[in-house]
Amino acid sequence: MKKIILLLGMLFMACGSAFAQCEYECVAPYNLNNKARAVISNITGANWFIENRVESILKKEVLKIASADKLKISIDSYSPKDLKNGIFKSMEVKGENVVINNIYLDNLNLKTLCDFNYIRQSGKEIVFVEAMPVAFDLIMSDSNINKTIQNDKYKKIVKDLNKLGISYGLGLEVSSTKVSIKNNKFYYIIGFEIPFISKEQRIVIQADLRVKDGEIDFANTQLVSNKFNLNLKKLDFMLNYLNPLEFSVNIFDNKDAKVYVKNVELVDNAIKADGVIIVPKD
């Protein structure tokens, strides 16, 4: 049981960014408990009892590293012994108003994609005997994105951009960032500090959302406000460098896991994204 708890904890840890082509293979089951015993466990209800017990334990463990208004964890196993050995058919996690490492999501769903998943524990580490592909879909409102970009890690991205601005002599320094979604259109508001001007200057950028090389990208960027002119190439560079959406999705990256976004769209004034996380075998 502890193996699965550690696995779930690792999936929820935020790390650096990565992406990959969405390629994975599911292996045929092996090292399974005696089939007859598995059948008996199903008949007697022992399997159902153990699954529910593990689900309850997992929920408590997840809530130690995250918060959610609603959280449901479902596990489908071959047998109690297989589950104890780190072998299970599938796992699904559903959460509403989820907060993990200061990243805020309206909804988050995770579900393993193969019907055979195999992990084991080595000391305090989890060893992935086989690669584990996991489907994800999430929803982010502008209010939750704005909470997320108060994250110190995101603020560091802004600072790094400002260092680049100094290096290239742009004369601009980003002082604030904010997201707004209205009428299913995405807006990014950037505040600047300009030499010899005391008042913060702001620009409003409108952009379309798309998926490019497995990441959320911006297209058709337009300068909505007209307080001052800014080169569109610089605008594209800044927007994709500061990309708050990709920052939010990369909550999944850990243990060399690859995150591949398949779809992104604006629906009901919120951003919906789905894709695949692939945790490679050790």
Side-chain angles (χ1 to χ4, degrees):
M1 297 178 193
K2 189 175 180 181
K3 300 175 183 179
I4 302 173
I5 293 169
L6 291 174
L7 163 66
L8 200 59
M10 293 175 73
L11 284 176
F12 278 133
M13 289 177 67
C15 194
S17 63
F19 66 91
Q21 292 300 315
C22 183
E23 298 177 355
Y24 65 89
E25 287 186 10
C26 295
V27 301
Y30 63 94
N31 283 358
L32 293 178
N33 185 28
N34 181 280
K35 189 173 182 180
R37 291 182 181 177
V39 171
I40 293 171
S41 294
N42 283 323
I43 293 173
T44 61
N47 209 30
W48 177 87
F49 177 79
I50 294 297
E51 287 173 354
N52 276 266
R53 187 181 173 196
V54 171
E55 289 164 2
S56 178
I57 293 172
L58 278 173
K59 186 174 181 178
K60 290 179 181 178
E61 291 300 315
V62 169
L63 292 176
K64 290 179 180 179
I65 60 172
S67 66
D69 286 353
K70 291 183 180 180
L71 180 64
K72 183 179 180 181
I73 299 175
S74 304
I75 292 176
D76 189 10
S77 66
Y78 290 95
S79 73
K81 184 176 180 180
D82 290 318
L83 189 55
K84 185 178 179 181
N85 291 335
I87 296 174
F88 54 97
K89 289 181 181 179
S90 66
M91 180 192 302
E92 185 172 11
V93 180
K94 293 184 177 182
E96 294 182 13
N97 293 324
V98 178
V99 183
I100 311 168
N101 290 345
N102 294 317
I103 293 180
Y104 294 75
L105 302 171
D106 295 68
N107 289 84
L108 172 64
N109 294 334
L110 299 170
K111 187 175 183 179
T112 53
L113 288 169
C114 295
D115 61 5
F116 176 78
N117 301 278
Y118 194 0
I119 59 175
R120 68 171 182 264
Q121 186 178 353
S122 177
K124 294 184 179 180
E125 296 296 318
I126 285 293
V127 175
F128 286 76
V129 182
E130 298 293 345
M132 183 178 293
V134 180
F136 74 86
D137 65 79
L138 55 84
I139 298 176
M140 298 178 284
S141 62
D142 54 4
S143 61
N144 274 336
I145 296 172
N146 286 324
K147 291 176 186 176
T148 295
I149 60 180
Q150 297 306 309
N151 190 314
D152 287 340
K153 290 183 180 179
Y154 187 78
K155 288 180 179 179
K156 184 179 184 302
I157 293 174
V158 176
K159 287 181 180 179
D160 290 343
L161 177 65
N162 286 335
K163 289 179 183 178
L164 282 175
I166 294 172
S167 300
Y168 287 96
L170 298 178
L172 298 175
E173 184 172 320
V174 175
S175 54
S176 67
T177 57
K178 185 179 179 181
V179 166
S180 179
I181 301 173
K182 294 181 179 179
N183 299 319
N184 286 329
K185 293 188 179 296
F186 180 84
Y187 298 92
Y188 194 53
I189 302 100
I190 304 178
F192 291 98
E193 289 183 359
I194 301 175
F196 311 114
I197 298 179
S198 59
K199 187 177 179 181
E200 181 187 65
Q201 302 296 303
R202 290 187 176 186
I203 62 170
V204 180
I205 303 165
Q206 181 186 327
D208 295 332
L209 306 182
R210 66 176 181 179
V211 175
K212 182 180 179 182
D213 297 327
E215 294 186 344
I216 298 176
D217 192 31
F218 297 105
N220 303 319
T221 54
Q222 302 175 51
L223 196 59
V224 177
S225 62
N226 56 0
K227 288 187 177 180
F228 58 93
N229 293 321
L230 190 64
N231 184 290
L232 282 178
K233 287 186 177 179
K234 291 179 181 177
L235 196 66
D236 283 336
F237 172 77
M238 289 175 59
L239 192 55
N240 284 303
Y241 192 97
L242 295 172
N243 193 335
L245 308 182
E246 189 62 24
F247 179 82
S248 298
V249 169
N250 279 331
I251 188 173
F252 301 120
D253 286 335
N254 190 60
K255 196 179 169 60
D256 301 321
K258 308 299 181 183
V259 176
Y260 183 86
V261 180
K262 296 174 69 176
N263 302 290
V264 62
E265 60 180 336
L266 285 161
V267 180
D268 297 328
N269 286 328
I271 294 168
K272 294 183 69 175
D274 65 76
V276 175
I277 312 154
I278 301 176
V279 183
K281 66 185 293 184
D282 292 301

